[in-house]
Amino acid sequence: MLQEFLFAKIHRATVTDANLNYVGSITIDKTLLEASGIKVNQKVDILNVNNGERFHTYVIEGKENSGQICLNGAAARKVQKGDTVIIVAYALLDEQEQKTFKPKVVHVDSNNKISSID
């Protein structure tokens, strides 16, 4: 049986932009994607620490080392520039994988630069 577990998290990132006039998604700095293992087009949950909003979208890659965290399209209505968000991805794991899998948690500073990885 497969069950859904935390796969990766980018913890307490700062929203750098909200672009209502884009098709949709969240743009995330390539460096953060590589560190977390989150993939382009992967479904993620966005948890807005400032206002309590929780919603789904998909990932597009931002410029490497840019610190970019931009909510696009309808998701732009759920955040404001400067908000703190947690970006969460999940994975379906079988019982054997559940015993050994450890999610990656990428902690960032206020400029979305990596401060630590668990």
Side-chain angles (χ1 to χ4, degrees):
M1 170 177 41
L2 297 176
Q3 294 178 306
E4 197 167 23
F5 285 83
L6 176 66
F7 170 74
K9 174 169 73 165
I10 300 171
H11 193 67
R12 298 186 65 85
T14 301
V15 174
T16 58
D17 199 7
N19 183 355
L20 186 61
N21 296 313
Y22 189 82
V23 178
S25 68
I26 182 171
T27 305
I28 302 174
D29 177 331
K30 179 179 180 178
T31 304
L32 298 177
L33 292 178
E34 289 176 351
S36 67
I38 296 172
K39 308 290 186 220
V40 171
N41 295 318
Q42 186 171 359
K43 178 183 175 182
V44 291
D45 285 350
I46 309 301
L47 318 176
N48 189 326
V49 174
N50 293 79
N51 64 19
E53 289 281 359
R54 299 171 71 95
F55 55 94
H56 313 291
T57 191
Y58 64 93
V59 173
I60 62 174
E61 183 178 282
K63 184 178 175 187
E64 188 172 23
N65 296 316
S66 65
Q68 185 177 27
I69 300 290
C70 178
L71 279 300
N72 303 302
R77 297 258 189 223
K78 306 276 189 182
V79 301
Q80 292 184 7
K81 186 176 177 178
D83 280 359
T84 300
V85 294
I86 301 168
I87 303 163
V88 183
Y90 303 94
L92 294 173
L93 304 177
D94 64 30
E95 290 182 37
Q96 195 63 31
E97 292 169 316
Q98 293 169 24
K99 294 175 184 176
T100 58
F101 182 78
K102 184 172 175 15
K104 279 198 177 173
V105 179
V106 177
H107 299 268
V108 297
D109 64 18
S110 60
N111 295 309
N112 296 329
K113 301 301 181 196
I114 298 170
S115 55
S116 67
I117 301 173
D118 296 335

